[in-house]
Amino acid sequence: MSESARPPRWRMTRRGFLIGLGLAGGGLALGALFGLPAARLALSDLLGDGFGPPATLPKEPNLWFAIQPDGQVMMTMPKVEMGQGVHTALAQIAAEELGVSWEQIQIAQASSLGPVRDGAGTSASYSVMGLFPLLRETAATLREMLRAAGAEQLGIEIAQAQVSDGAVIDSADPTRRIGFGTLVSLPRDWQPPAEAAPLTPPERWRIIGQPTPRLDLPAKIRGLATYGYDARVEGMLYGAVARPPRLGARLRRAAPGTARERPGVVEVVIRDGFAGVVAESRLTAYAALNDLELEWELPPPFSQQDIDERLAAQANAGTPIQKRGDATRALQGARVIEATYRTPLAAHANLEPQAALVDVQTERVRAWVSTQSPIQVANTLASLLGRKPETVEVIPTYLGGGFGRKITTVVASEAALLSAAVGRPVHVGWTRTEEFRHSYLRPPTYATFRAALDATGTIVALEQRHVSGNVLFELIPAPLRWLFGSDFGAWRGARLVYAITDLLVTSHIVDLPVPTGPWRGLGLLANTFAVESFIDELAVAAKIDPLEFRLRHLPNTPVGRRFRATLLAVAEMSNWSETPLPGRARGIACSIDMNTIAAHVAEVGYEGDRLRVYRVWAAVDPGIAINPDGLIAQTEGGIMMGLSATLFERITIQDGQIAAGNFDRYPLLTIADAPEVQVQLLRSGDQPFGGGEPPMGPIAAAVANALFALSGERRRELPLLG
């Protein structure tokens, strides 16, 4: 066989997997080549290492940056701002490599039509981590183009030209300088450098790694920021859509009834499975829904017990996502420690419900949407309306909380259908009840553990079988679902970092009659709660301090050493070795997600008969924090959201419907219950890792472990106060 005729040889690398999965049938090829179980384990290893989607955005500087005559730099932002500070962090990276001052950077949110089109959306804590190398290269390329032009204008060799504060300076005579604004105003054939532009070394960073004022805050503080619910254009109307009375119900028949007779109603829109009203006000549109004649095809009734039983029934099924040795065999005949952990359905509880304003015209469609994925929404609208994708523009607004709920945005399709029917812009904003009862939820989980210890207290074998509802499977093609065998989103946080000779972790997805999907951190909070609580149980059985037990089991690898440093840091912060105040106890937990390591210590006690979390210490190793203030805020916010889920949050089903319709039946953590939080950031390198979701991983386990230390009661189900 000639060399050219040989089949391609796959290498077990991240890039190789990316290429394979990106090709038609690549997933099938991998499964056939390596054997399906081996391919699935290899993919789980990659994803468990903090692997994220590749940055496929363009590197042309002119698409990212527009330099104004006054020297201001307008940067196009492909990621959306939902309170996580991503615009500020990305602008810091750009300003650093461009060689401009922070005051010279301005931002413009990109729409779905560009110039920088980001099909990956804003999710998975991957925005800064994924764009860091690309942005540096792009900004450095532009800087070198400007430096060459400046040297030419100053009549000096390029080696003599320096860049600082948006100007090219003669290093021999710093009074001779020419600003970027002047340079771009001169006629010139701009050419990129022949070789890759040098990147600014970390020891010379002035902006990266420094606390920097948030770019989005001034507009928010002044009430000038536009969210999806705020979007307004001249001549717009308001829409409302009929919702099913039970989960899974289908609209069998609809008629206008007397809705068109109500003053202020403009149109009633009825299509297959859809009925809506367009009116001059939102209140009128919702009131008119009561005038429609609707017949629903109801599914068989189901209850909360049905969901719980479905999960428990599948406890022994699953696809291996982590395997070393033969845990099942090693546990035979051993003294086995067993436990089962559960977490419930939970809502996103965004401050801002779903909202979109869509204007469907003959030649084009424009939509202002509160979404994490503007291109995905644009493609959905183009398909729905039978339009070419280039005629549909989605303009993402600020988001009043994303948390995975706004990756898919049904409300945009609803507004589009209503706008197309009336030929005018239509705004649809869900009510709080709609948001609770007709959104997808965080799936419930059911995890069983079996483990054995030797005489020294070392874990010799551990088996975890994880069961969950769907998180990401509905968002990826069927061939990839077949290849993965398990839902990465559902088992995020379920793999163990500890050095255990015989280890098996499996994951299984159960079809549920309740829509489930991404929630902040995906499965991270639920799975870390189960894993780190069980590790605590093993430490108690071994009669070893929980911190020491974890340290003993860490591998001597780069990740293991980062875990050790992070655990020791949080132990020092919390004075772990000292006895807490009378009536209080502490618990510890740790996790890794998107390559960021977090370790928390929680201090709890009782006020009367009510559990109270008094303090939380958090040590976080994100590689490097681009904006330390921003990451500290993200950590604090993640802890509070995770603590709310730990103590209070649970969605229950009654008669085929979600019981909660507002916050009166879905309590959240309040300021009165919020603990004091102290955060320490560790730097372990010059590459940023994930920031938005990883810090919330350990909080539930830390609190549950503290509760056990306080009372001797091992709680294996969330919420702890439910």
Side-chain angles (χ1 to χ4, degrees):
M1 180 184 292
S2 68
E3 187 65 29
S4 61
R6 292 182 185 276
R9 300 185 65 184
W10 289 82
R11 295 181 59 208
M12 196 70 72
T13 64
R14 287 188 173 93
R15 181 172 176 80
F17 269 103
L18 275 178
I19 294 171
L21 294 178
L23 296 173
L28 299 175
L30 281 173
L33 186 61
F34 295 121
L36 190 57
R40 285 173 170 172
L41 278 170
L43 281 170
S44 298
D45 287 342
L46 295 177
L47 294 168
D49 285 345
F51 165 68
T56 57
L57 298 171
K59 295 185 179 181
E60 292 84 351
N62 62 302
L63 299 181
W64 286 88
F65 307 107
I67 299 177
Q68 311 298 325
D70 62 359
Q72 293 290 303
V73 179
M74 182 64 71
M75 178 183 178
T76 297
M77 286 289 176
K79 301 296 184 180
V80 299
E81 181 61 66
M82 47 189 171
Q84 80 279 41
V86 68
H87 284 180
T88 303
L90 294 179
Q92 285 181 253
I93 299 167
E96 187 71 72
E97 287 297 344
L98 275 175
V100 299
S101 67
W102 181 244
E103 292 72 24
Q104 289 175 275
I105 285 281
Q106 300 177 355
I107 59 170
Q109 175 68 62
S111 75
S112 63
L113 295 182
V116 182
R117 304 181 73 251
D118 181 9
T122 308
S123 61
S125 296
Y126 196 69
S127 294
V128 174
M129 178 181 177
L131 291 184
F132 181 70
L134 184 147
L135 258 184
R136 292 186 73 197
E137 290 177 34
T138 305
T141 298
L142 179 56
R143 181 197 67 224
E144 290 304 294
M145 293 167 65
L146 291 161
R147 191 162 77 99
E152 183 178 308
Q153 291 297 315
L154 293 172
I156 59 177
E157 295 294 326
I158 191 169
Q160 192 175 323
Q162 296 180 339
V163 172
S164 179
D165 291 336
V168 180
I169 303 169
D170 183 349
S171 60
D173 181 4
T175 62
R176 300 186 67 235
R177 57 193 297 140
I178 184 169
F180 286 179
T182 302
L183 285 173
V184 298
S185 300
L186 299 174
R188 181 182 179 83
D189 181 19
W190 293 91
Q191 295 293 330
E195 299 180 357
L199 302 178
T200 305
E203 61 269 19
R204 288 174 47 199
W205 284 347
R206 305 165 298 112
I207 301 174
I208 291 177
Q210 299 301 315
T212 307
R214 286 270 295 268
L215 295 175
D216 57 317
L217 288 186
K220 291 177 177 178
I221 291 171
R222 296 169 184 157
L224 302 176
T226 298
Y227 293 82
Y229 240 98
D230 301 324
R232 300 288 186 270
V233 294
E234 186 176 351
M236 65 178 278
L237 299 169
Y238 295 87
V241 176
R243 307 290 176 198
R246 186 183 298 172
L247 290 168
R250 297 180 180 275
L251 186 60
R252 176 186 297 163
R253 188 188 74 85
T258 60
R260 288 196 178 101
E261 301 171 12
R262 182 180 289 269
V265 170
V266 175
E267 184 59 276
V268 174
V269 181
I270 295 174
R271 294 177 43 148
D272 289 343
F274 177 90
V277 175
V278 181
E280 294 174 356
S281 74
R282 199 183 312 278
L283 288 176
T284 300
Y286 273 96
L289 292 178
N290 298 319
D291 303 329
L292 300 177
E293 296 177 3
L294 305 173
E295 292 183 12
W296 297 92
E297 180 181 338
L298 301 179
F302 65 93
S303 66
Q304 185 66 44
Q305 183 178 351
D306 295 326
I307 293 175
D308 297 339
E309 290 176 352
R310 287 195 193 191
L311 292 171
Q314 299 295 318
N316 292 322
T319 299
I321 60 170
Q322 192 177 23
K323 189 176 189 297
R324 293 196 293 267
D326 190 340
T328 303
R329 180 178 178 182
L331 289 169
Q332 291 177 356
R335 179 176 174 272
V336 176
I337 300 167
E338 299 181 275
T340 298
Y341 282 82
R342 299 177 176 86
T343 63
L345 291 160
H348 298 82
N350 309 77
L351 181 63
E352 176 199 30
Q354 303 289 290
L357 169 62
V358 182
D359 185 9
V360 179
Q361 299 297 327
T362 304
E363 300 297 328
R364 69 170 188 173
V365 177
R366 298 191 79 196
W368 295 262
V369 188
S370 180
T371 178
Q372 295 173 239
S373 302
I375 289 181
Q376 181 178 337
V377 172
N379 291 338
T380 298
L381 295 185
S383 176
L384 178 70
L385 299 170
R387 301 296 185 93
K388 295 180 179 179
E390 61 269 21
T391 67
V392 178
E393 181 179 25
V394 171
I395 303 155
T397 65
Y398 281 124
L399 279 65
F403 314 131
R405 176 60 191 98
K406 294 175 181 175
I407 291 175
T408 58
T409 315
V410 175
V411 69
S413 297
E414 296 171 345
L417 289 175
L418 297 176
S419 175
V422 297
R424 290 172 62 182
V426 174
H427 189 284
V428 176
W430 282 21
T431 65
R432 182 60 62 184
T433 299
E434 287 176 306
E435 189 69 29
F436 267 116
R437 292 184 172 165
H438 302 283
S439 293
Y440 56 80
L441 305 168
R442 186 191 75 191
T445 64
Y446 184 94
T448 59
F449 292 84
R450 302 171 67 235
L453 304 170
D454 67 12
T456 68
T458 300
I459 306 172
V460 294
L462 188 149
E463 182 180 272
Q464 176 195 174
R465 297 192 178 275
H466 167 267
V467 184
S468 171
N470 163 72
V471 175
L472 293 178
F473 257 26
E474 295 301 320
L475 304 178
I476 63 177
L480 291 186
R481 293 200 294 271
W482 170 85
L483 174 64
F484 280 88
S486 61
D487 187 328
F488 160 62
W491 59 253
R492 195 164 156 183
R495 288 164 48 97
L496 280 76
V497 70
Y498 302 107
I500 302 171
T501 303
D502 292 291
L503 174 68
L504 175 65
V505 181
T506 67
S507 180
H508 184 68
I509 295 301
V510 175
D511 290 329
L512 299 174
V514 181
T516 60
W519 189 87
R520 187 175 183 179
L522 308 180
L524 178 64
L525 179 96
N527 297 331
T528 303
F529 163 65
V531 168
E532 283 292 290
S533 293
F534 187 65
I535 291 296
D536 228 62
E537 291 199 55
L538 297 180
V540 171
K543 299 181 180 179
I544 299 174
D545 173 80
L547 170 63
E548 178 61 26
F549 188 79
R550 287 169 171 80
L551 294 174
R552 287 189 190 185
H553 284 87
L554 289 174
N556 187 23
T557 63
V559 168
R561 291 189 287 273
R562 289 176 63 208
F563 260 100
R564 177 175 296 274
T566 309
L567 281 165
L568 291 175
V570 80
E572 182 178 359
M573 293 167 64
S574 61
N575 295 317
W576 177 262
S577 60
E578 297 182 7
T579 303
L581 294 172
R584 297 191 184 186
R586 300 190 189 116
I588 194 168
C590 57
S591 64
I592 183 170
D593 183 62
M594 295 309 290
N595 219 2
T596 289
I597 295 170
H600 297 348
V601 170
E603 184 174 272
V604 307
Y606 278 101
E607 291 185 354
D609 59 353
R610 183 180 176 84
L611 179 68
R612 176 70 186 268
V613 181
Y614 291 100
R615 298 187 69 181
V616 175
W617 295 268
V620 179
D621 174 5
I624 183 175
I626 299 299
N627 186 340
D629 279 356
L631 185 54
I632 288 173
Q634 283 279 73
T635 302
E636 293 168 341
I639 287 171
M640 294 302 178
M641 185 171 179
L643 188 57
S644 183
T646 299
L647 297 177
F648 302 110
E649 296 183 42
R650 180 199 298 270
I651 285 289
T652 56
I653 307 299
Q654 293 180 356
D655 300 324
Q657 180 64 279
I658 293 170
N662 213 316
F663 291 115
D664 59 333
R665 300 189 67 179
Y666 192 82
L668 299 176
L669 185 77
T670 65
I671 293 176
D673 293 311
E676 178 185 345
V677 177
Q678 181 181 343
V679 179
Q680 179 181 341
L681 302 181
L682 283 66
R683 179 171 177 176
S684 60
D686 300 323
Q687 163 74 38
F689 302 127
E693 297 161 312
M696 73 185 299
I699 185 61
V703 172
N705 293 339
L707 175 59
F708 175 82
L710 178 70
S711 64
E713 179 185 10
R714 179 65 67 180
R715 297 290 299 275
R716 299 187 179 95
E717 183 173 359
L718 297 183
L720 298 179
L721 299 182

